[in-house]
Amino acid sequence: MTNIYAVILAAGQGTRMKSNLYKVLHPVCGKPMVEHVVDNIQQLDASRIVTVVGHGAEKVQEQLNDRSEYVLQKEQLGTAHAVQQTESLLQHLDGTTLVICGDTPLIRPETMKALYEHHEANKAKATILTAIAEDPTGYGRILRSSDGKVAQIVEQKDATKEQQEVIEINTGTYCFDNKALFEALKEVKNDNAQGEYYLPDVIEILQNRGEIVEAYVTKEFSETLGVNDRVALAQAERIMQSRINKKHMQNGVTIINPDNTYISAEAVIGRDTVIQPGTMIEGPSTIGENCLIGLNSQIRNSQIGNRTKIDHSVIEDSRIDDDVAVGPYAHIRPATHIMDRAKVGNFVELKKTTLGEGSKASHLTYLGDSTIGADVNIGCGTITVNYDGKNKYETIIEDNAFVGCNANLIAPVTIGKNAFVAAGSTITKNVPDNALAIGRTRQENKENYVNKLK
């Protein structure tokens, strides 16, 4: 097997996106387009990946980090000119170079591999990934000779009316013999409607030298979608989301309404978990087996254990263990850990809190900057008062404590093991183990007071 190299064309600003964000960094299913491309290339075991960057180069490098090498295309003078910028890194190497655009996140690794294998099997100097388009407008056309061989690629703006009727299109993805590519690039001219150096012109140069040029037709046109505006971005999102949901269903996950369920490309979900409509699972979230993710829940960058039920709730950057019930209408904020068999009920908010095994906060409660032990009961309306306007402080509630309704726990404070906090109390001092804390004034009734007001 020859060495494989990859050149990712990612220098275009993407003016049609009308965005301050560099085009290839626009996300599809939670991941920047160019990162999808790199992920797919890496499955080919490419020896080197070189990304051609231009406007916003530093942002692309921040995103991909050391997964790629980089070259700068200072002026956008066309795709052939972009590839030429990699000359100092690649021109002397033996092997096959894959050239692909950074705004084509839908081209599968399997398709890249099939393109490469077709190229190698036919001992070609160049192989074009093509597709059959119902509407080929805007794409370069593949012109074939009478024997079916590739004769020419003609860009839309340079094509005659007859040539524009051709429906086999150039996807902009190629395999080249690496040394032949860089030799041919030296002959590319810019005498065309755009005044640019077109990479497809390399095909004609190689043919004129008598070299073998092949084409591999992908089975799905949708794979080849290049994202140049927000409309195409939405199309790519729909296509990839459909793929992701299908993969999970094939792996044993029940998705009640796939058209109304969003799951990121990085999410992992166990079998026999049920995902109800309106759910969004974002980032590198993991969900265990036999879970129920209820209507309109949002889970972001979080880990959910087995047999856990999330009902109509928001969970961010947190960990939830096995056999837990959350919601409805709970908000689990970052750095929270809910342990086995715990319960978080309706309108409960947790932030930077550990809720121990079997503990319950069933309704209308805020627990922030807290460490809560096992089998603790948190009554309705309880608040850990963690912020004095300048600093945050911790509340500790130890195992088997019972906190009554409408308690204010003024941090820093510790509630000991088996301790009771009376309903309506404001607690400002530590409560010893097995103690009852009452922090409220005695009730006093003023007889006939209402009559005096009248």
Side-chain angles (χ1 to χ4, degrees):
M1 183 176 180
T2 61
N3 288 326
I4 304 175
Y5 315 107
V7 174
I8 302 173
L9 305 182
Q13 184 174 0
T15 54
R16 281 183 281 173
M17 297 295 286
K18 293 182 169 55
S19 174
N20 294 325
L21 182 64
Y22 195 41
K23 181 174 78 166
V24 297
L25 294 180
H26 279 266
V28 174
C29 292
K31 186 189 296 184
M33 289 189 282
V34 70
E35 193 165 352
H36 282 290
V37 174
V38 171
D39 287 346
N40 293 336
I41 290 171
Q42 285 186 321
Q43 294 190 44
L44 297 181
D45 294 324
S47 301
R48 298 178 75 170
I49 299 174
V50 183
T51 302
V52 182
V53 292
H55 174 81
E58 67 286 347
K59 297 294 184 183
V60 176
Q61 291 178 245
E62 286 174 15
Q63 183 66 44
L64 298 179
N65 208 336
D66 59 0
R67 299 175 67 195
S68 173
E69 300 173 77
Y70 304 91
V71 295
L72 179 66
Q73 185 186 23
K74 293 180 181 179
E75 297 181 87
Q76 272 68 70
L77 300 179
T79 50
H81 179 259
V83 176
Q84 275 185 314
Q85 308 313 300
T86 71
E87 192 173 57
S88 62
L89 297 178
L90 300 178
Q91 67 172 331
H92 299 301
L93 301 177
D94 290 313
T96 297
T97 295
L98 172 73
V99 179
I100 187 168
C101 295
D103 61 1
T104 55
L106 299 174
I107 299 179
R108 303 173 194 260
E110 296 85 353
T111 300
M112 294 181 189
K113 184 179 180 183
L115 171 67
Y116 167 75
E117 289 176 346
H118 184 90
H119 176 81
E120 292 293 302
N122 288 278
K123 296 181 171 54
K125 293 296 183 182
T127 302
I128 311 154
L129 182 66
T130 71
I132 305 303
E134 291 184 13
D135 179 7
T137 304
Y139 291 95
R141 306 303 201 279
I142 302 297
L143 306 183
R144 292 182 181 264
S145 58
S146 57
D147 62 359
K149 297 293 184 182
V150 175
Q152 189 182 2
I153 303 174
V154 180
E155 297 299 319
Q156 168 83 24
K157 293 180 181 179
D158 300 312
T160 66
K161 187 174 181 180
E162 182 181 18
Q163 290 169 339
Q164 289 182 13
E165 297 298 318
V166 174
I167 60 173
E168 185 179 6
I169 58 96
N170 175 22
T171 68
T173 298
Y174 311 85
C175 274
F176 293 102
D177 174 272
N178 187 65
K179 287 185 176 178
L181 167 64
F182 286 101
E183 289 170 7
L185 282 170
K186 295 172 184 177
E187 299 181 30
V188 175
K189 309 296 182 187
N190 67 341
D191 49 352
N192 52 61
Q194 291 292 93
E196 292 186 352
Y197 298 91
Y198 290 149
L199 186 59
D201 288 353
V202 169
I203 302 300
E204 186 174 357
I205 292 167
L206 292 174
Q207 287 172 322
N208 290 340
R209 292 178 179 176
E211 303 288 7
I212 298 173
V213 173
E214 281 288 321
Y216 176 79
V217 185
T218 183
K219 295 177 182 177
E220 294 184 34
F221 173 73
S222 62
E223 276 194 78
T224 69
L225 178 70
V227 177
N228 292 310
D229 57 27
R230 306 287 182 138
V231 175
L233 184 67
Q235 290 176 314
E237 185 85 21
R238 285 195 299 272
I239 294 166
M240 186 167 287
Q241 192 59 73
S242 177
R243 283 185 194 173
I244 291 169
N245 291 353
K246 182 179 179 180
K247 178 194 72 174
H248 286 297
M249 289 187 286
Q250 289 173 334
N251 289 337
V253 177
T254 295
I255 301 177
I256 302 298
N257 184 351
D259 293 334
N260 193 23
T261 301
Y262 175 97
I263 303 173
S264 79
E266 301 167 285
V268 177
I269 305 174
R271 63 173 60 191
D272 294 317
T273 284
V274 177
I275 311 292
Q276 293 187 336
T279 293
M280 296 186 70
I281 301 170
E282 303 174 82
S285 294
T286 61
I287 299 173
E289 297 183 356
N290 293 287
C291 293
L292 174 62
I293 310 300
L295 291 166
N296 301 314
S297 291
Q298 183 179 8
I299 298 170
R300 181 185 303 126
N301 305 325
S302 296
Q303 290 75 51
I304 312 297
N306 299 314
R307 301 175 302 280
T308 284
K309 179 181 178 182
I310 309 296
D311 186 7
H312 212 101
S313 295
V314 176
I315 299 166
E316 309 171 78
D317 301 287
S318 292
R319 173 182 164 188
I320 298 176
D321 292 341
D322 298 344
D323 303 295
V324 173
V326 176
Y329 307 109
H331 188 182
I332 311 303
R333 291 170 56 195
T336 291
H337 180 193
I338 302 174
M339 301 178 75
D340 293 350
R341 298 178 289 99
K343 179 182 179 183
V344 176
N346 52 291
F347 302 105
V348 174
E349 181 176 349
L350 275 64
K351 189 273 293 185
K352 200 176 179 181
T353 287
T354 296
L355 186 65
E357 293 185 16
S359 291
K360 297 181 293 183
S362 294
H363 31 234
L364 298 161
T365 294
Y366 171 71
L367 303 172
D369 296 275
S370 304
T371 300
I372 300 169
D375 298 310
V376 171
N377 182 84
I378 305 293
C380 174
T382 294
I383 298 173
T384 58
V385 186
N386 59 331
Y387 184 49
D388 66 2
K390 187 176 181 180
N391 297 303
K392 299 286 181 72
Y393 299 95
E394 184 181 21
T395 298
I396 298 172
I397 305 174
E398 297 184 350
D399 295 350
N400 296 297
F402 183 99
V403 180
C405 294
N406 294 314
N408 298 307
L409 309 179
I410 312 296
V413 70
T414 297
I415 311 300
K417 293 180 181 178
N418 303 304
F420 271 62
V421 174
S425 293
T426 295
I427 302 300
T428 59
K429 297 185 296 184
N430 292 344
V431 179
D433 295 353
N434 303 301
L436 168 64
I438 304 175
R440 60 193 184 201
T441 59
R442 288 185 178 276
Q443 179 175 331
E444 183 178 346
N445 296 331
K446 302 288 187 180
E447 299 290 341
N448 300 313
Y449 186 78
V450 174
N451 293 332
K452 291 178 182 181
L453 290 178
K454 291 180 180 179

